[in-house]
Amino acid sequence: MDRISAASNLLIEMQPESWRLLLNGSTQPNGATQPLLEARSGEPIRYVELFGLRRKLPLGGELALSDVERVVLGWSAKDESWHLGLVLTAPLATERQSRWCELAHWNDVNRTMYRDLAVSAGEALAGQIDRPFVLISPEKPQTPIPLPELPIKFEGWTFESSVPGQYELVRAPGWARAKLLRALWYLVWMVIFIVLAASSLTSGIALPNPALLVPAGFVSALFLLIAAITLIVRAFTRPNRIVIDRTMVRWMRGSRETNMIPVSEVQGVYASHITGSARRRNNLPKLDPKTERAVLYGELNLDLRSDKFVSLLTHGVMEETIPLGEN
């Protein structure tokens, strides 16, 4: 007779003629072990009433072997444990709203300390009830993808590492100059519209036809003024750096912090892009429509635990291609 300890004060007793799950005697008044479940070759699996109720098993304390599809031992990264249980067939699984019925588990941070014991318990149970045994091993850790060489230049942004463990998105100085030049251009046209509209009223000649052109000139000048002021405000107030480290994402304007989000509130980073046809813009070579597409627009966003998205940056037309998958 072999006995294996499991978590939650359980014991698994394996004999040639039976497989039993026991509650360790340390919890019993008389120090005896309490049988919870027993499996014997060719017989239904029997269990005590409370054990069955907690697992939504059929009343009466018996589980027909035809209701069991296989015995499974699997690793769960969520609680770092091995879990041994039964996968049930469709009719009973539908009634319980779950195919999985756990019998025992082993806490195993190292993933290997209790693996062989748990495997032997699972194989012994599968042998008694004549069902296949399936082992679901931990997934192999993925090889970290190396970062590309820094700095990386985007449209108006540069991604770089300022100090070890800290990265920055730095806005190009030309962005603010472009906004101010556009604002200046709007102001020039505003003056032109005002001069033309005022001249129509003071020149002494007939008003233009239709006469609405004169007030339309003043309204257009007003819109141009608003647009110019908006661009100037953006040029002097928008963050010019986004600092990212292990604890915080901070939006900076010079040395002044304009916004911040703790990393603990971030549950994901989403990079998305829009692809166009197989011909790039700006008279660049045509691409193979079966294998690649030109990236026309991209975004980098933070997905917060509050179900909100915060934009880090947007990127216009990119001189970049991506391969197409099989779909």
Side-chain angles (χ1 to χ4, degrees), residues 48-67:
V48 299
E49 182 178 0
L50 182 59
F51 183 89
L53 285 175
R54 289 177 175 176
R55 288 159 179 79
K56 298 181 180 179
L57 294 175
L59 299 177
E62 290 189 358
L63 177 65
L65 297 184
S66 59
D67 289 330

Side-chain angles (χ1 to χ4, degrees), residues 1-15 18-28 31-39 51 55 84 103-106 114 117-118 120-122 125:
M1 179 179 69
D2 293 329
R3 281 192 171 186
I4 296 174
S5 297
S8 300
N9 213 30
L10 296 179
L11 289 174
I12 295 174
E13 181 185 274
M14 298 177 292
Q15 300 186 59
S18 67
W19 188 99
R20 296 203 303 166
L21 182 67
L22 310 171
L23 185 62
N24 196 319
S26 62
T27 63
Q28 306 302 310
T33 56
Q34 176 186 351
L36 298 178
L37 177 143
E38 182 177 23
F51 183 89
R55 288 159 179 79
L84 176 65
L103 301 180
H105 71 278
W106 292 263
Y114 296 105
L117 289 175
S120 62
L125 175 59

Side-chain angles (χ1 to χ4, degrees), residues 1 13 26 60 94 117 137-138 146 180 186 206 208 218 240 246-247 249 283 286 288 318:
M1 179 179 69
E13 181 185 274
S26 62
T94 302
L117 289 175
S137 300
L180 294 176
Y186 287 169
F218 287 112
N240 53 15
R246 297 180 183 275
T247 61
V249 180
N283 298 321
K286 185 176 181 179
D288 185 349
M318 293 182 270

